[in-house]
Amino acid sequence: MANTKLSEHTVSVLVYNKPGVLSKVMSLITRRGFNVESVSAEKTSGDKTRIIVAVKADERSLEQIQKQLYKIVDVIKVTPIDPRHKVVRELAFVKVKNASGLPNASNMELFQLVDVFGGEIINATPSGFVFQLTGSRDKINSFISLIPENLIVEIARTGIVAINKWPSQDS
Amino acid sequence: MPMKGARIVVECLKKEKVDTLFCYPGGVVIPIFDELYQHGDGIRMVQPRHEQGGTHAADGYARVTGKPGVVLVTSGPGATNTVTGIATAYIDSIPMVVITGQVPTNYVGTDAFQEADITGISLPVTKENILVTDIEDLAPSLKRAFHIAVSGRPGPVLVDVPKDVLLATTQFEYPEEFNLESYRPVSKGHPKQVAKALELMTQAKQPLILAGGGIQISGSTELANTFMDKYGIPAVYTLMGHGINPKNGNLSIGNIGMHGTVYGNWAVQHCDLLIALGTRFSDRILGDTVSFAPNATIIHVDVDPAEIGKNINVDVPIVGDLRHVLEKWVEADREMPNFSEWVSMLQKKKADNPLTYQQGNAILPQFVMEKARELFPKNLIVVTDVGQHQMWAHQYFATTSPRSFVSSGGLGTMGFGVPAGIGAKLGCPDREVLVLAGDGGFQMTMQELVTIRREKLPVKIIVLDNGFLGMVRQWQDMFHGKRYSGVVLDNNPDFAALAQVLGIKSQRLEKIDEVEGALAELAQSSEAMLLHVIVEQEENVFPMVAAGASLNDTRTS
């Protein structure tokens, strides 16, 4: 069925940590015609792995993805992440050149930016720096957009991890 | 006693009571063939001429018996040749276990001789696939494969076994049970939904059952017949849904879909309650989704939750085993309105719009089918290939028992017919098996005539030769200005002569007055026989609903 309103949804998939299970999950999502925005996976306990996938989909397709995921034998549980009630974090490393002596840029400005965004400088050499940022995708995107493009050498991002919060006491 | 992996494979097959193994040897599976040679008693090894043929044969075997079809092939090309057969089985929910040999584990990933990543390749077309890397996992993996293939919504499972695993030894122990937290197919329909659906039936005026393949897969045909007779609800059926046969014959209306009957499609468009049983609402059934069954509340029962709401919105979804749901409905013993007026309306529609054809000088496929139906025993198994003849078979060969109409519905695999016929005959040796094929599909797997001869299987084959890839030609005729591009088969060999050379009795027919006699001989022959029938070249299949059009626009010419 034609996709109508596309928006980003996050799904948390608990699987048995078997060889090939990540490729089974990813291949299913892509072959059913969904765009993967972000993916992260790590062993969580014993023989289980949690995969967090963000996809662009409409509500109806989202339901279909969940049902299809359940058909993979090693998928134990599929939990949609509630957008109004979630915690989302991503970690990024941004490698930048030393700005001193370059026009329209200064290291001080870079450091202030890192400070404002609550980041850290985890590597500093005369050639340049590596900044570490954590936060939502939006926060990391805007941090990157504020650094002069000609200073950026390399960016590495983890993709998001997300979890539903405990229900609040008054609801 | 410690056993080699290869022997363990054979012992697992015995534990699963596998009586027929469709197998083709090759380098890495020599150890398994060696064990079959010594310890394979009770397992009939059927060797096709090509692994695709073997896989379709296993599929045909599974379709008529309900037991999993089992295939054993070697690595690389042996494994990749099974893919079309696996995909065919997957989309039609057919249980199958395919065991492939793999290069030794220390060679995996090195592009070794006859290495192919078959678990990667088969991923989208298997219900589950497993690469066994440790001898200790071998027996549990095979147990897992057989369990998953037949349970819930059935499907093919592939087990890839590297050669060193076949040569390693361990204590053989076959797990009694398979238990996995993440694999729990739903069995019972939700009682509230089951009751709600029944309530809607009591309020309906023009209810209609849409019978899909899930009815025979779940072994519910008898129950479905009882359900229909008990409440007087009429039914239409899909290509996979052949076999319903209520005592009150008036309740069985006809088939629906792209080449459905006028009255079948009309029934769907005019019912007020559609009870869809074990169908996935494929595009060949729905046509235009918006105008499909416009007045109906839709109840959808399926064992696979992912089928509910996938292609069409439904009002009352019921996830569960159809057998359980039908049992509940029958047991409930509810008072129902009298639907006989609605049934009469449908019967009148049927009488006014019969399937017709104009038999002229050239033989028409429809005529051949009508005659064959008269001359073959009633409990015949019909196996089709894919194309025009398949749709005519769908129209003219309504079968009255489950697992008797064998056809590649979802994938539409040309070349399916002859090898699937082999499997059907091996699965039901006491029943007549008639393969219907077109000249196109027949030539895709005709080497399997050799297998028929070798296994001495009295399979009956009719090749309807119109010198075209008929269904594509029909679309070109109707929608592409008769530009017959790539569909002309004007150099077909004499298939009767070919069959003779391969040791199979045959006859070539060109004249209408030869048809009846030849069909009678075909039906009575105690050995395999092939009829090569030259038919009208440009006959089109009607009724027809153009792809994506509404069932309201069912064309009859």
Side-chain angles (χ1 to χ4, degrees):
Chain A
M1 246 166 282
N3 285 351
T4 44
K5 254 187 155 166
L6 293 181
S7 52
E8 192 171 308
H9 297 273
T10 310
V11 184
S12 173
V13 189
L14 186 66
V15 300
Y16 285 114
N17 183 27
K18 286 272 188 61
V21 67
L22 180 62
S23 69
K24 282 181 187 177
V25 169
M26 296 317 293
S27 131
L28 185 142
I29 291 173
T30 45
R31 84 172 170 269
R32 294 274 168 187
F34 303 107
N35 277 333
V36 175
E37 300 288 306
S38 157
V39 59
S40 63
E42 181 57 57
K43 214 153 119 176
T44 50
S45 68
D47 56 350
K48 290 168 191 162
T49 289
R50 190 170 289 282
I51 304 171
I52 312 281
V53 200
V55 292
K56 273 256 163 74
D58 60 25
E59 282 294 330
R60 190 195 173 93
S61 318
L62 184 69
E63 193 187 321
Q64 182 60 208
I65 296 181
Q66 291 176 48
K67 287 173 169 177
Q68 292 291 345
L69 283 170
Y70 268 118
K71 290 174 71 170
I72 299 173
V73 175
D74 283 316
V75 167
I76 304 162
K77 191 152 179 53
V78 183
T79 317
I81 301 292
D82 181 349
R84 291 151 303 172
H85 218 69
K86 63 177 178 180
V87 192
V88 185
R89 291 289 181 273
E90 181 174 2
L91 187 141
F93 293 130
V94 184
K95 190 188 245 178
V96 298
K97 287 184 215 159
N98 188 334
S100 68
L102 294 176
N104 308 323
S106 88
N107 285 336
M108 274 322 288
E109 280 176 22
L110 284 177
F111 297 162
Q112 273 170 9
L113 203 58
V114 172
D115 198 39
V116 167
F117 277 80
E120 280 179 66
I121 303 165
I122 57 165
N123 179 225
T125 72
S127 311
F129 315 96
V130 175
F131 303 141
Q132 173 189 304
L133 264 292
T134 53
S136 67
R137 276 161 63 86
D138 283 352
K139 177 180 160 187
I140 291 171
N141 287 343
S142 57
F143 174 79
I144 292 167
S145 71
L146 290 169
I147 298 180
E149 222 174 305
N150 60 339
L151 294 184
I152 298 176
V153 178
E154 195 178 335
I155 299 170
R157 301 173 65 158
T158 57
I160 59 169
V161 292
I163 202 163
N164 283 322
K165 290 187 202 165
W166 287 105
S168 58
Q169 297 302 320
D170 51 324
S171 67
Chain B
M1 188 183 71
M3 273 183 198
K4 272 191 196 166
R7 175 75 187 276
I8 288 175
V9 171
V10 175
E11 293 306 316
C12 289
L13 296 182
K14 288 186 188 169
K15 287 277 186 192
E16 290 292 341
K17 301 188 172 59
V18 173
D19 53 21
T20 311
L21 179 64
F22 300 90
C23 53
Y24 204 102
V28 297
V29 289
I30 292 173
I32 305 181
F33 277 77
D34 197 39
E35 296 293 343
L36 282 165
Y37 191 90
Q38 301 173 67
H39 306 287
D41 41 300
I43 301 175
R44 179 169 181 175
M45 294 165 69
V46 176
Q47 190 181 325
R49 296 295 100 170
H50 186 285
E51 290 91 345
Q52 182 190 347
T55 318
H56 289 321
D59 177 324
Y61 174 93
R63 285 182 202 242
V64 299
T65 61
K67 295 190 284 184
V70 187
V71 179
L72 168 65
V73 296
T74 194
S75 63
T80 57
N81 280 344
T82 65
V83 173
T84 301
I86 294 172
T88 304
Y90 181 65
I91 198 162
D92 286 345
S93 313
I94 306 303
M96 199 185 277
V97 173
V98 179
I99 302 166
T100 54
Q102 182 54 278
V103 300
T105 41
N106 60 327
Y107 282 92
V108 168
T110 67
D111 302 323
F113 177 66
Q114 291 195 328
E115 180 186 359
D117 172 16
I118 194 61
T119 46
I121 291 168
S122 65
L123 185 66
V125 293
T126 46
K127 187 173 172 188
E128 162 76 332
N129 70 25
I130 308 157
L131 170 62
V132 183
T133 51
D134 184 339
I135 179 77
E136 301 303 331
D137 295 336
L138 183 56
S141 296
L142 285 162
K143 175 74 192 179
R144 181 182 172 103
F146 277 93
H147 179 88
I148 289 173
V150 297
S151 53
R153 177 180 181 174
V157 179
L158 183 139
V159 184
D160 197 25
V161 194
K163 186 174 186 182
D164 55 319
V165 175
L166 294 174
L167 297 176
T169 53
T170 188
Q171 207 68 34
F172 173 59
E173 202 183 320
Y174 200 60
E176 290 290 311
E177 280 184 2
F178 173 81
N179 208 338
L180 193 69
E181 185 191 347
S182 61
Y183 185 76
R184 299 259 192 277
V186 184
S187 56
K188 292 178 177 168
H190 195 286
K192 257 194 185 155
Q193 295 292 86
V194 173
K196 186 178 173 191
L198 196 62
E199 196 57 43
L200 285 170
M201 291 175 216
T202 64
Q203 292 158 16
K205 292 192 173 65
Q206 305 191 158
L208 184 71
I209 293 164
L210 172 55
I215 294 180
Q216 52 181 340
I217 289 174
S218 61
S220 312
T221 306
E222 276 309 309
L223 257 173
N225 292 339
T226 309
F227 171 67
M228 288 172 70
D229 278 321
K230 185 178 178 66
Y231 296 129
I233 303 175
V236 292
Y237 54 88
T238 70
L239 182 74
M240 308 309 290
H242 274 257
I244 44 167
N245 186 25
K247 283 200 183 71
N248 177 357
N250 283 342
L251 294 177
S252 183
I253 304 304
N255 65 352
I256 72 151
M258 181 175 272
H259 292 290
T261 51
V262 169
Y263 39 92
N265 287 351
W266 189 89
V268 170
Q269 296 306 85
H270 291 83
C271 67
D272 65 355
L273 180 69
L274 189 68
I275 307 157
L277 307 178
T279 170
R280 57 189 178 82
F281 284 109
S282 97
D283 54 286
R284 270 8 190 195
I285 289 302
L286 287 174
D288 171 41
T289 47
V290 178
S291 63
F292 180 83
N295 313 318
T297 303
I298 301 180
I299 298 164
H300 187 190
V301 188
D302 205 283
V303 73
D304 180 356
E307 287 306 335
I308 306 237
K310 184 179 82 176
N311 293 340
I312 190 169
N313 289 321
V314 298
D315 303 289
V316 185
I318 303 176
V319 179
D321 187 341
L322 199 45
R323 173 179 272 276
H324 170 262
V325 174
L326 281 167
E327 266 167 13
K328 290 286 162 204
W329 283 344
V330 170
E331 277 168 21
D333 198 20
R334 285 289 296 268
E335 187 85 17
M336 283 284 162
N338 187 339
F339 301 126
S340 58
E341 204 173 311
W342 162 236
V343 174
S344 310
M345 212 193 307
L346 295 174
Q347 286 301 333
K348 179 165 191 315
K349 203 77 195 167
K350 193 169 178 172
D352 292 346
N353 298 275
L355 290 166
T356 54
Y357 57 90
Q358 297 297 323
Q359 177 60 63
N361 284 333
I363 303 170
L364 286 188
Q366 302 95 305
F367 173 75
V368 176
M369 291 193 195
E370 276 202 322
K371 285 291 158 206
R373 204 187 143 80
E374 282 168 25
L375 292 163
F376 271 81
K378 256 210 136 95
N379 75 340
L380 160 79
I381 294 172
V382 184
V383 183
T384 80
D385 208 272
V386 166
Q388 284 186 313
H389 75 277
Q390 178 189 29
M391 291 299 108
W392 281 312
H394 184 28
Q395 295 172 345
Y396 289 89
F397 260 106
T399 51
T400 49
S401 56
R403 301 192 177 282
S404 305
F405 189 90
V406 175
S407 193
S408 167
L411 202 65
T413 307
M414 284 173 67
F416 174 80
V418 170
I422 292 173
K425 189 69 195 175
L426 284 158
C428 294
D430 299 332
R431 293 172 67 186
E432 276 293 327
V433 171
L434 173 63
V435 175
L436 299 165
D439 46 325
F442 176 71
Q443 291 183 80
M444 285 192 173
T445 49
M446 64 184 176
Q447 79 282 357
E448 301 304 341
L449 290 182
V450 182
T451 313
I452 290 176
R453 165 75 177 163
R454 188 167 186 260
E455 297 291 331
K456 300 190 176 59
L457 296 170
V459 174
K460 314 296 172 60
I461 302 168
I462 299 176
V463 182
L464 297 157
D465 180 357
N466 57 9
F468 276 114
L469 296 173
M471 188 56 94
V472 180
R473 185 205 54 74
Q474 175 170 347
W475 283 46
Q476 291 172 337
D477 177 5
M478 294 174 69
F479 312 117
H480 297 274
K482 274 192 188 250
R483 289 180 294 278
Y484 291 166
S485 177
V487 293
V488 184
L489 302 179
D490 51 3
N491 282 305
N492 276 339
D494 180 338
F495 298 126
L498 179 79
Q500 296 281 351
V501 172
L502 300 177
I504 289 178
K505 194 162 78 173
S506 64
Q507 196 179 334
R508 181 183 161 96
L509 307 179
E510 293 185 45
K511 297 197 187 84
I512 190 80
D513 52 14
E514 301 169 324
V515 172
E516 222 165 319
L519 283 172
E521 194 188 340
L522 184 74
Q524 276 148 31
S525 173
S526 58
E527 55 182 310
M529 184 172 174
L530 179 145
L531 291 187
H532 178 191
V533 189
I534 309 299
V535 296
E536 165 65 44
Q537 285 208 287
E538 296 190 45
E539 179 72 359
N540 286 344
V541 183
F542 287 110
M544 179 172 183
V545 179
S550 165
L551 293 194
N552 293 329
D553 303 323
T554 304
R555 296 170 58 172
T556 52
S557 64

mmCIF file of all heavy atoms in Angstrom, chain B residues 279-309:
data_model
loop_
_atom_site.group_PDB
_atom_site.id
_atom_site.type_symbol
_atom_site.label_atom_id
_atom_site.label_comp_id
_atom_site.label_asym_id
_atom_site.label_seq_id
_atom_site.Cartn_x
_atom_site.Cartn_y
_atom_site.Cartn_z
ATOM 1 N N THR B 279 -6.394 -16.706 3.698
ATOM 2 C CA THR B 279 -5.978 -16.132 2.417
ATOM 3 C C THR B 279 -5.130 -14.909 2.707
ATOM 4 O O THR B 279 -5.299 -14.265 3.735
ATOM 5 C CB THR B 279 -7.186 -15.748 1.555
ATOM 6 O OG1 THR B 279 -6.745 -14.993 0.421
ATOM 7 C CG2 THR B 279 -8.196 -14.902 2.325
ATOM 8 N N ARG B 280 -4.207 -14.591 1.791
ATOM 9 C CA ARG B 280 -3.376 -13.414 2.065
ATOM 10 C C ARG B 280 -3.795 -12.221 1.208
ATOM 11 O O ARG B 280 -3.045 -11.268 1.057
ATOM 12 C CB ARG B 280 -1.892 -13.747 1.904
ATOM 13 C CG ARG B 280 -1.529 -14.276 0.556
ATOM 14 C CD ARG B 280 -0.098 -14.793 0.492
ATOM 15 N NE ARG B 280 0.147 -15.335 -0.820
ATOM 16 C CZ ARG B 280 0.475 -14.606 -1.876
ATOM 17 N NH1 ARG B 280 0.625 -13.304 -1.766
ATOM 18 N NH2 ARG B 280 0.665 -15.154 -3.049
ATOM 19 N N PHE B 281 -4.994 -12.280 0.634
ATOM 20 C CA PHE B 281 -5.516 -11.172 -0.177
ATOM 21 C C PHE B 281 -4.477 -10.696 -1.183
ATOM 22 O O PHE B 281 -4.089 -9.522 -1.183
ATOM 23 C CB PHE B 281 -5.943 -10.002 0.722
ATOM 24 C CG PHE B 281 -7.248 -10.221 1.446
ATOM 25 C CD1 PHE B 281 -7.280 -10.434 2.816
ATOM 26 C CD2 PHE B 281 -8.457 -10.214 0.753
ATOM 27 C CE1 PHE B 281 -8.482 -10.629 3.489
ATOM 28 C CE2 PHE B 281 -9.662 -10.404 1.425
ATOM 29 C CZ PHE B 281 -9.673 -10.609 2.785
ATOM 30 N N SER B 282 -4.014 -11.604 -2.026
ATOM 31 C CA SER B 282 -2.981 -11.217 -2.994
ATOM 32 C C SER B 282 -3.576 -10.249 -4.008
ATOM 33 O O SER B 282 -4.795 -10.144 -4.153
ATOM 34 C CB SER B 282 -2.434 -12.461 -3.702
ATOM 35 O OG SER B 282 -3.071 -12.641 -4.946
ATOM 36 N N ASP B 283 -2.705 -9.553 -4.714
ATOM 37 C CA ASP B 283 -3.178 -8.586 -5.715
ATOM 38 C C ASP B 283 -3.977 -9.265 -6.815
ATOM 39 O O ASP B 283 -4.798 -8.637 -7.468
ATOM 40 C CB ASP B 283 -1.989 -7.839 -6.322
ATOM 41 C CG ASP B 283 -0.940 -8.780 -6.872
ATOM 42 O OD1 ASP B 283 -0.218 -9.390 -6.066
ATOM 43 O OD2 ASP B 283 -0.850 -8.929 -8.102
ATOM 44 N N ARG B 284 -3.765 -10.566 -7.040
ATOM 45 C CA ARG B 284 -4.516 -11.308 -8.060
ATOM 46 C C ARG B 284 -5.953 -11.564 -7.618
ATOM 47 O O ARG B 284 -6.804 -11.935 -8.416
ATOM 48 C CB ARG B 284 -3.834 -12.638 -8.362
ATOM 49 C CG ARG B 284 -2.776 -12.677 -9.480
ATOM 50 C CD ARG B 284 -2.397 -11.367 -10.036
ATOM 51 N NE ARG B 284 -1.577 -11.475 -11.241
ATOM 52 C CZ ARG B 284 -0.880 -10.467 -11.766
ATOM 53 N NH1 ARG B 284 -0.878 -9.289 -11.176
ATOM 54 N NH2 ARG B 284 -0.180 -10.620 -12.875
ATOM 55 N N ILE B 285 -6.199 -11.415 -6.338
ATOM 56 C CA ILE B 285 -7.546 -11.591 -5.796
ATOM 57 C C ILE B 285 -8.240 -10.242 -5.645
ATOM 58 O O ILE B 285 -9.417 -10.086 -5.978
ATOM 59 C CB ILE B 285 -7.461 -12.283 -4.406
ATOM 60 C CG1 ILE B 285 -7.041 -13.744 -4.571
ATOM 61 C CG2 ILE B 285 -8.764 -12.176 -3.630
ATOM 62 C CD1 ILE B 285 -7.960 -14.558 -5.447
ATOM 63 N N LEU B 286 -7.489 -9.269 -5.160
ATOM 64 C CA LEU B 286 -8.096 -7.984 -4.810
ATOM 65 C C LEU B 286 -8.433 -7.113 -6.005
ATOM 66 O O LEU B 286 -9.441 -6.425 -6.011
ATOM 67 C CB LEU B 286 -7.132 -7.182 -3.921
ATOM 68 C CG LEU B 286 -6.948 -7.651 -2.490
ATOM 69 C CD1 LEU B 286 -5.849 -6.824 -1.832
ATOM 70 C CD2 LEU B 286 -8.242 -7.499 -1.712
ATOM 71 N N GLY B 287 -7.573 -7.139 -7.025
ATOM 72 C CA GLY B 287 -7.685 -6.096 -8.041
ATOM 73 C C GLY B 287 -7.502 -4.759 -7.340
ATOM 74 O O GLY B 287 -6.579 -4.588 -6.538
ATOM 75 N N ASP B 288 -8.408 -3.834 -7.607
ATOM 76 C CA ASP B 288 -8.338 -2.531 -6.958
ATOM 77 C C ASP B 288 -8.798 -2.657 -5.506
ATOM 78 O O ASP B 288 -9.934 -3.061 -5.242
ATOM 79 C CB ASP B 288 -9.228 -1.547 -7.728
ATOM 80 C CG ASP B 288 -9.381 -0.237 -6.980
ATOM 81 O OD1 ASP B 288 -8.386 0.243 -6.425
ATOM 82 O OD2 ASP B 288 -10.513 0.286 -6.942
ATOM 83 N N THR B 289 -7.925 -2.301 -4.571
ATOM 84 C CA THR B 289 -8.253 -2.534 -3.159
ATOM 85 C C THR B 289 -9.397 -1.651 -2.673
ATOM 86 O O THR B 289 -10.170 -2.054 -1.817
ATOM 87 C CB THR B 289 -7.032 -2.248 -2.246
ATOM 88 O OG1 THR B 289 -6.458 -1.008 -2.632
ATOM 89 C CG2 THR B 289 -6.007 -3.337 -2.359
ATOM 90 N N VAL B 290 -9.490 -0.452 -3.229
ATOM 91 C CA VAL B 290 -10.495 0.492 -2.729
ATOM 92 C C VAL B 290 -11.911 0.007 -3.022
ATOM 93 O O VAL B 290 -12.800 0.089 -2.180
ATOM 94 C CB VAL B 290 -10.265 1.898 -3.345
ATOM 95 C CG1 VAL B 290 -11.333 2.871 -2.866
ATOM 96 C CG2 VAL B 290 -8.875 2.408 -2.983
ATOM 97 N N SER B 291 -12.106 -0.529 -4.230
ATOM 98 C CA SER B 291 -13.472 -0.927 -4.595
ATOM 99 C C SER B 291 -13.742 -2.406 -4.326
ATOM 100 O O SER B 291 -14.776 -2.934 -4.689
ATOM 101 C CB SER B 291 -13.728 -0.611 -6.069
ATOM 102 O OG SER B 291 -12.845 -1.365 -6.875
ATOM 103 N N PHE B 292 -12.794 -3.096 -3.661
ATOM 104 C CA PHE B 292 -12.982 -4.520 -3.360
ATOM 105 C C PHE B 292 -14.041 -4.695 -2.266
ATOM 106 O O PHE B 292 -13.989 -4.038 -1.227
ATOM 107 C CB PHE B 292 -11.656 -5.126 -2.907
ATOM 108 C CG PHE B 292 -11.724 -6.593 -2.569
ATOM 109 C CD1 PHE B 292 -11.642 -7.553 -3.565
ATOM 110 C CD2 PHE B 292 -11.888 -7.008 -1.252
ATOM 111 C CE1 PHE B 292 -11.707 -8.903 -3.261
ATOM 112 C CE2 PHE B 292 -11.948 -8.368 -0.939
ATOM 113 C CZ PHE B 292 -11.861 -9.308 -1.954
ATOM 114 N N ALA B 293 -14.997 -5.581 -2.524
ATOM 115 C CA ALA B 293 -16.060 -5.878 -1.551
ATOM 116 C C ALA B 293 -16.564 -4.613 -0.861
ATOM 117 O O ALA B 293 -16.492 -4.492 0.369
ATOM 118 C CB ALA B 293 -15.549 -6.883 -0.515
ATOM 119 N N PRO B 294 -17.096 -3.666 -1.631
ATOM 120 C CA PRO B 294 -17.370 -2.326 -1.090
ATOM 121 C C PRO B 294 -18.429 -2.300 0.026
ATOM 122 O O PRO B 294 -18.390 -1.413 0.871
ATOM 123 C CB PRO B 294 -17.864 -1.539 -2.308
ATOM 124 C CG PRO B 294 -18.360 -2.575 -3.260
ATOM 125 C CD PRO B 294 -17.496 -3.778 -3.049
ATOM 126 N N ASN B 295 -19.343 -3.270 0.008
ATOM 127 C CA ASN B 295 -20.426 -3.216 1.007
ATOM 128 C C ASN B 295 -20.166 -4.116 2.197
ATOM 129 O O ASN B 295 -21.023 -4.263 3.061
ATOM 130 C CB ASN B 295 -21.743 -3.662 0.361
ATOM 131 C CG ASN B 295 -21.968 -2.983 -0.971
ATOM 132 O OD1 ASN B 295 -21.707 -1.787 -1.096
ATOM 133 N ND2 ASN B 295 -22.402 -3.742 -1.972
ATOM 134 N N ALA B 296 -19.001 -4.749 2.222
ATOM 135 C CA ALA B 296 -18.840 -5.832 3.193
ATOM 136 C C ALA B 296 -18.056 -5.430 4.438
ATOM 137 O O ALA B 296 -17.075 -4.683 4.374
ATOM 138 C CB ALA B 296 -18.150 -7.017 2.519
ATOM 139 N N THR B 297 -18.500 -5.956 5.547
ATOM 140 C CA THR B 297 -17.681 -6.023 6.754
ATOM 141 C C THR B 297 -16.769 -7.221 6.540
ATOM 142 O O THR B 297 -17.224 -8.265 6.084
ATOM 143 C CB THR B 297 -18.582 -6.271 7.981
ATOM 144 O OG1 THR B 297 -19.543 -5.228 8.031
ATOM 145 C CG2 THR B 297 -17.776 -6.321 9.258
ATOM 146 N N ILE B 298 -15.479 -7.076 6.824
ATOM 147 C CA ILE B 298 -14.553 -8.171 6.518
ATOM 148 C C ILE B 298 -14.004 -8.818 7.793
ATOM 149 O O ILE B 298 -13.470 -8.150 8.678
ATOM 150 C CB ILE B 298 -13.377 -7.686 5.630
ATOM 151 C CG1 ILE B 298 -13.931 -7.109 4.316
ATOM 152 C CG2 ILE B 298 -12.402 -8.827 5.351
ATOM 153 C CD1 ILE B 298 -12.860 -6.594 3.369
ATOM 154 N N ILE B 299 -14.200 -10.140 7.858
ATOM 155 C CA ILE B 299 -13.599 -10.953 8.920
ATOM 156 C C ILE B 299 -12.405 -11.661 8.288
ATOM 157 O O ILE B 299 -12.540 -12.222 7.203
ATOM 158 C CB ILE B 299 -14.599 -12.013 9.433
ATOM 159 C CG1 ILE B 299 -15.841 -11.345 10.032
ATOM 160 C CG2 ILE B 299 -13.936 -12.955 10.426
ATOM 161 C CD1 ILE B 299 -17.017 -12.306 10.204
ATOM 162 N N HIS B 300 -11.257 -11.610 8.925
ATOM 163 C CA HIS B 300 -10.082 -12.266 8.331
ATOM 164 C C HIS B 300 -9.429 -13.188 9.355
ATOM 165 O O HIS B 300 -8.948 -12.740 10.385
ATOM 166 C CB HIS B 300 -9.079 -11.199 7.854
ATOM 167 C CG HIS B 300 -7.923 -11.765 7.081
ATOM 168 N ND1 HIS B 300 -6.823 -11.015 6.738
ATOM 169 C CD2 HIS B 300 -7.702 -12.994 6.560
ATOM 170 C CE1 HIS B 300 -5.966 -11.778 6.058
ATOM 171 N NE2 HIS B 300 -6.478 -12.977 5.941
ATOM 172 N N VAL B 301 -9.428 -14.483 9.051
ATOM 173 C CA VAL B 301 -8.778 -15.446 9.932
ATOM 174 C C VAL B 301 -7.485 -15.907 9.278
ATOM 175 O O VAL B 301 -7.494 -16.390 8.138
ATOM 176 C CB VAL B 301 -9.669 -16.692 10.169
ATOM 177 C CG1 VAL B 301 -9.051 -17.573 11.251
ATOM 178 C CG2 VAL B 301 -11.084 -16.293 10.537
ATOM 179 N N ASP B 302 -6.378 -15.767 9.975
ATOM 180 C CA ASP B 302 -5.108 -16.282 9.455
ATOM 181 C C ASP B 302 -4.167 -16.588 10.611
ATOM 182 O O ASP B 302 -4.200 -15.915 11.640
ATOM 183 C CB ASP B 302 -4.443 -15.287 8.500
ATOM 184 C CG ASP B 302 -3.505 -15.981 7.516
ATOM 185 O OD1 ASP B 302 -2.388 -16.360 7.912
ATOM 186 O OD2 ASP B 302 -3.914 -16.156 6.358
ATOM 187 N N VAL B 303 -3.330 -17.588 10.416
ATOM 188 C CA VAL B 303 -2.414 -17.992 11.483
ATOM 189 C C VAL B 303 -1.209 -17.037 11.549
ATOM 190 O O VAL B 303 -0.510 -16.977 12.554
ATOM 191 C CB VAL B 303 -1.972 -19.461 11.275
ATOM 192 C CG1 VAL B 303 -0.994 -19.582 10.105
ATOM 193 C CG2 VAL B 303 -1.382 -20.050 12.548
ATOM 194 N N ASP B 304 -0.993 -16.290 10.465
ATOM 195 C CA ASP B 304 0.144 -15.375 10.424
ATOM 196 C C ASP B 304 -0.334 -13.947 10.684
ATOM 197 O O ASP B 304 -1.005 -13.354 9.843
ATOM 198 C CB ASP B 304 0.807 -15.476 9.041
ATOM 199 C CG ASP B 304 2.014 -14.559 8.912
ATOM 200 O OD1 ASP B 304 2.294 -13.798 9.869
ATOM 201 O OD2 ASP B 304 2.676 -14.595 7.868
ATOM 202 N N PRO B 305 0.027 -13.384 11.840
ATOM 203 C CA PRO B 305 -0.452 -12.026 12.167
ATOM 204 C C PRO B 305 -0.054 -11.004 11.098
ATOM 205 O O PRO B 305 -0.772 -10.025 10.885
ATOM 206 C CB PRO B 305 0.245 -11.693 13.483
ATOM 207 C CG PRO B 305 0.849 -12.947 13.988
ATOM 208 C CD PRO B 305 0.918 -13.929 12.871
ATOM 209 N N ALA B 306 1.061 -11.237 10.431
ATOM 210 C CA ALA B 306 1.544 -10.258 9.452
ATOM 211 C C ALA B 306 0.650 -10.187 8.222
ATOM 212 O O ALA B 306 0.721 -9.238 7.451
ATOM 213 C CB ALA B 306 2.974 -10.588 9.041
ATOM 214 N N GLU B 307 -0.192 -11.193 8.002
ATOM 215 C CA GLU B 307 -1.094 -11.149 6.847
ATOM 216 C C GLU B 307 -2.309 -10.269 7.104
ATOM 217 O O GLU B 307 -2.977 -9.835 6.178
ATOM 218 C CB GLU B 307 -1.551 -12.559 6.448
ATOM 219 C CG GLU B 307 -0.471 -13.380 5.763
ATOM 220 C CD GLU B 307 0.140 -12.674 4.566
ATOM 221 O OE1 GLU B 307 -0.508 -11.799 3.952
ATOM 222 O OE2 GLU B 307 1.297 -12.983 4.247
ATOM 223 N N ILE B 308 -2.595 -10.042 8.390
ATOM 224 C CA ILE B 308 -3.789 -9.273 8.729
ATOM 225 C C ILE B 308 -3.518 -7.797 8.527
ATOM 226 O O ILE B 308 -2.580 -7.256 9.110
ATOM 227 C CB ILE B 308 -4.223 -9.575 10.177
ATOM 228 C CG1 ILE B 308 -4.371 -11.078 10.325
ATOM 229 C CG2 ILE B 308 -5.451 -8.752 10.557
ATOM 230 C CD1 ILE B 308 -5.619 -11.655 10.759
ATOM 231 N N GLY B 309 -4.319 -7.180 7.690
ATOM 232 C CA GLY B 309 -4.146 -5.755 7.441
ATOM 233 C C GLY B 309 -2.975 -5.424 6.538
ATOM 234 O O GLY B 309 -2.625 -4.264 6.393
#
